[in-house]
Amino acid sequence: MLNVQDLDVFYGEFQAIDNVALKIEKGQTVIVVGPNGAGKSTLLRTIAGLLPPRRGTISFEGQRIDRMEAYHVVENGISLVPEGGRVFPHLSVLDNLKVGSYNKAARAKAQQWMKRIFELFPVLSNRKTQRAGSLSGGERQMLAIARSLMSQPRLIMLDEPSLGLAPLVVDMVFEFVLTMKQEGYTVLLVEQNANKALKVADYAYLIESGKLVFEGRSEDFDKNPYIKTAYLGI
Amino acid sequence: MQLISKFSRSGLMLLLILLIMLPFLISSSYLTHIVTLILLWSFVATAWAYMARFGMVSLGHGVFLGIGAYFPTLMFNYWGVTPWIGIFVGLVVAIVIAAILGYTCFRFGLLGDYFALVTLAVAEVSALVIMALREITGGSLGYTLRSTGRLADMQFADKRVFYFMALILLIGAMYIWRRIDKSPVRLALTAIEESEIAAASLGVSVIRYKMMITLLSAALTALGGSLYAQYVTYVSPDTIAGVGVSLSVCFKAILGGMFAVLGPFVGSAIIVSLEEYVRISLGTSFLGLSQIIFGVSLLLMIIFMPRGIMGSMSMAVAKRLNRISARH
């Protein structure tokens, strides 16, 4: 479904992504783990069209998307939940969701879709008219995910959804990732919390300073002695 | 909330009727002149607030005023081109300049203070260009429009024509403001203001929306500059281009409240009247006093009433109504 090849991304002279390749099949939940500053967010932003790659190709459902503008990528069925959620604090919950269905394809079906979203997120339906800035951290993350789903994506990318949340809320977020998987979404998840993320993943990649250092299924990660000590704390 | 909107709607209608009848009620052409200036500056300040209320504070709208003012004036004096066409040319030039400027800023993600600083520099450049082209533009001494008194040259025996032109433009600008409020454009621009990354990753075309509102704002501002020049028949870099006038437009909108449709009008009415009052009552004995008053009052406003007069008023009314409805 998504195919990333030979990807190089630079911030000025600094190379943030170095020759990364990544593949996601339809319906899979794939995670990218790695330490702070490894280039995980950069990778997602590049796929989302927010950053231009210097080299390499990204194709989605057989179509090249690596030179597309961000809004165009969304129209093609990929949606990103940015790091920290970034809900629009001065807009109501409802308006936040409306912005999510801004692209042409989604706008037509926005009404029914909204109903569906409120079934998935009953917390939000009680807070429709409330400003997003007044929600709790967990609710905000939920709203950010719901807002991305409003664009009716086939691939949803989550950038560190557990960042800054209380442990109990983190569990909730991961439970929701599982729900999305059951709903048939393809999910690309970036996490520092490797332990929890590996439990929901079909396939995983490890990135260190922009380079791909390991890939495999969750079991392979569990068996690797280096990853065990460095990332899983076992 | 419904009560407020009903209230403000009837208030708006009353104001409109008053403004339409005013030139016939008062015989003093001086007063009509002042109100014409108020309407003109309200129009420009409203156009400025189109951008500012979505976080794009431009300190360089003098560029568009200057283009709008100078192009038709110079084209008329040198080539005899009627301002009816000259205004259109000025409009197109302003849109082109705004497009180049806007695209450059937005492409490289210049936000907030940085955007403001770039626009400020551009305003300074516009005044310098006018001075550098002294031979053509008259430099800092300004330039006077050739008088013919012909309708075809946009010159009218009855100055009240300008009053109504300014009034129509202002109403048009307010109408567009309301239309933006009701359209998805408002939502998109608010989202962009709050987080460009989130907006972009949800499929909002950030640059397209920012360009749209910028071009609209610049075009209307240029139109205001054109009408101003045709009305006062004199242009100079101090009165209609450059940093000074750019800032004075911001002051008017900020004082009245740049988030309320009536804000720029209220601000312009206060500042233009006060300027006239100070000028007449003190004459030349205390030059610069009005600027000092504005400087201090702007400082106080930004600290204590950041949403301006209209913004603070509507918030107070809403609070009051909430309390009343809570009691019942």
Side-chain angles (χ1 to χ4, degrees):
Chain A
M1 189 182 209
L2 183 81
N3 197 349
V4 178
Q5 275 176 338
D6 315 323
L7 196 69
D8 283 354
V9 184
F10 284 75
Y11 291 113
E13 286 302 299
F14 173 73
Q15 184 162 15
I17 298 277
D18 188 354
N19 201 22
V20 164
L22 181 143
K23 227 179 184 164
I24 304 176
E25 299 300 332
K26 195 169 162 35
Q28 267 188 333
T29 297
V30 170
I31 62 164
V32 177
V33 293
N36 233 340
K40 306 186 299 288
S41 296
T42 307
L43 177 63
L44 291 198
R45 286 186 180 195
T46 310
I47 297 171
L50 295 168
L51 286 172
R54 188 170 289 183
R55 193 179 70 92
T57 60
I58 305 169
S59 53
F60 180 66
E61 296 174 336
Q63 194 186 359
R64 283 280 291 272
I65 58 164
D66 45 83
R67 299 280 161 216
M68 275 185 191
E69 292 282 334
Y71 71 94
H72 206 175
V73 174
V74 178
E75 274 170 13
N76 276 288
I78 299 181
S79 152
L80 167 71
V81 182
E83 193 176 332
R86 304 231 189 178
V87 295
F88 308 120
H90 291 98
L91 291 180
S92 69
V93 167
L94 205 64
D95 280 347
N96 264 277
L97 293 175
K98 274 188 196 158
V99 178
S101 57
Y102 220 84
N103 68 82
K104 267 184 228 133
R107 218 181 298 181
K109 283 190 272 174
Q111 284 290 335
Q112 334 158 210
W113 205 258
M114 184 98 71
K115 248 189 221 157
R116 182 97 191 77
I117 295 287
F118 281 132
E119 281 167 21
L120 279 171
F121 300 90
V123 197
L124 296 180
S125 78
N126 299 330
R127 305 222 192 291
K128 272 180 208 166
T129 56
Q130 218 167 303
R131 279 186 178 197
S134 68
L135 300 180
S136 73
E139 287 166 347
R140 259 186 250 184
Q141 189 59 50
M142 286 295 164
L143 176 59
I145 296 172
R147 191 180 60 177
S148 278
L149 290 179
M150 281 299 290
S151 71
Q152 300 167 27
R154 293 182 292 285
L155 169 66
I156 182 160
M157 304 193 288
L158 301 162
D159 194 352
E160 303 251 7
S162 70
L163 195 78
L165 297 180
L168 217 68
V169 185
V170 171
D171 288 343
M172 230 168 75
V173 170
F174 279 110
E175 243 165 67
F176 195 77
V177 172
L178 279 176
T179 316
M180 281 198 290
K181 191 176 175 173
Q182 282 153 16
E183 292 273 322
Y185 284 105
T186 310
V187 181
L188 176 56
L189 175 68
V190 151
E191 261 295 338
Q192 273 195 77
N193 198 335
N195 257 327
K196 290 219 162 92
L198 280 169
K199 288 201 182 84
V200 298
D202 297 311
Y203 203 79
Y205 294 87
L206 172 64
I207 293 189
E208 278 177 5
S209 12
K211 291 192 182 74
L212 209 61
V213 292
F214 191 77
E215 65 177 283
R217 288 173 304 167
S218 295
E219 305 94 87
D220 305 331
F221 268 67
D222 286 337
K223 278 181 223 149
N224 186 302
Y226 166 64
I227 294 172
K228 249 182 173 168
T229 46
Y231 293 100
L232 303 175
I234 308 169
Chain B
M1 281 318 265
Q2 241 169 356
L3 196 63
I4 298 179
S5 72
K6 215 179 240 174
F7 209 71
S8 67
R9 197 169 305 155
S10 42
L12 261 173
M13 285 312 288
L14 209 70
L15 182 71
L16 186 61
I17 293 166
L18 191 75
L19 282 173
I20 291 173
M21 306 213 324
L22 196 74
F24 304 109
L25 294 176
I26 51 176
S27 51
S28 147
S29 63
Y30 169 69
L31 263 181
T32 313
H33 164 69
I34 297 302
V35 183
T36 307
L37 283 184
I38 290 176
L39 293 176
L40 263 171
W41 287 118
S42 304
F43 171 65
V44 172
T46 304
W48 176 82
Y50 275 19
M51 286 171 75
R53 70 182 176 128
F54 294 117
M56 285 174 270
V57 174
S58 156
L59 301 180
H61 263 45
V63 177
F64 309 124
L65 278 172
I67 290 169
Y70 271 88
F71 267 81
T73 308
L74 295 179
M75 281 171 72
F76 179 64
N77 276 20
Y78 284 104
W79 301 328
V81 178
T82 167
W84 295 106
I85 295 172
I87 287 177
F88 183 72
V89 173
L91 204 70
V92 172
V93 174
I95 289 176
V96 170
I97 300 282
I100 295 170
L101 248 172
Y103 190 78
T104 316
C105 285
F106 304 148
R107 183 84 260 183
F108 293 103
L110 283 186
L111 296 176
D113 306 344
Y114 296 98
F115 178 72
L117 283 176
V118 168
T119 55
L120 186 73
V122 173
E124 183 58 28
V125 169
S126 76
L128 290 175
V129 167
I130 293 170
M131 310 250 225
L133 299 176
R134 192 167 291 114
E135 307 289 306
I136 307 166
T137 61
S140 52
L141 289 175
Y143 198 80
T144 308
L145 188 71
R146 191 154 49 84
S147 163
T148 61
R150 280 167 45 204
L151 187 69
D153 300 332
M154 213 176 165
Q155 296 183 6
F156 313 102
D158 191 342
K159 285 282 188 183
R160 281 183 293 192
V161 176
F162 282 108
Y163 176 97
F164 284 107
M165 284 172 118
L167 182 59
I168 289 168
L169 284 184
L170 176 61
I171 293 169
M174 288 180 173
Y175 174 74
I176 296 173
W177 178 300
R178 284 283 170 104
R179 283 297 296 269
I180 290 172
D181 274 353
K182 284 179 190 151
S183 78
V185 175
R186 183 192 64 88
L187 211 56
L189 283 167
T190 314
I192 289 168
E193 185 195 355
E194 305 215 322
S195 169
E196 285 205 2
I197 286 193
S201 59
L202 291 168
V204 178
S205 173
V206 174
I207 292 179
R208 196 202 301 169
Y209 282 104
K210 286 178 106 171
M211 286 296 278
M212 205 176 84
I213 202 75
T214 303
L215 297 192
L216 186 64
S217 172
L220 294 187
T221 304
L223 207 56
S226 294
L227 198 62
Y228 177 89
Q230 297 305 311
Y231 176 55
V232 301
T233 69
Y234 169 75
V235 288
S236 93
D238 294 328
T239 55
I240 201 68
V243 173
V245 70
S246 302
L247 294 180
S248 87
V249 170
C250 313
F251 291 175
K252 291 176 175 96
I254 292 170
L255 178 75
M258 63 187 184
F259 301 103
V261 66
L262 272 180
F265 171 72
V266 170
S268 304
I270 293 173
I271 290 188
V272 172
S273 325
L274 208 66
E275 248 165 2
E276 276 303 300
Y277 176 77
V278 171
R279 197 172 61 86
I280 290 167
S281 62
L282 294 171
T284 51
S285 62
F286 205 155
L287 275 177
L289 179 69
S290 65
Q291 268 95 334
I292 295 174
I293 295 177
F294 294 136
V296 173
S297 58
L298 192 78
L299 208 69
L300 295 174
M301 284 291 301
I302 288 173
I303 296 170
F304 296 108
M305 288 166 97
R307 296 185 73 84
I309 293 173
M310 291 311 284
S312 304
M313 256 170 59
S314 70
M315 251 149 67
V317 171
K319 224 183 238 171
R320 192 83 191 236
L321 281 175
N322 270 340
R323 216 177 297 149
I324 292 170
S325 61
R327 226 179 279 155
H328 290 295

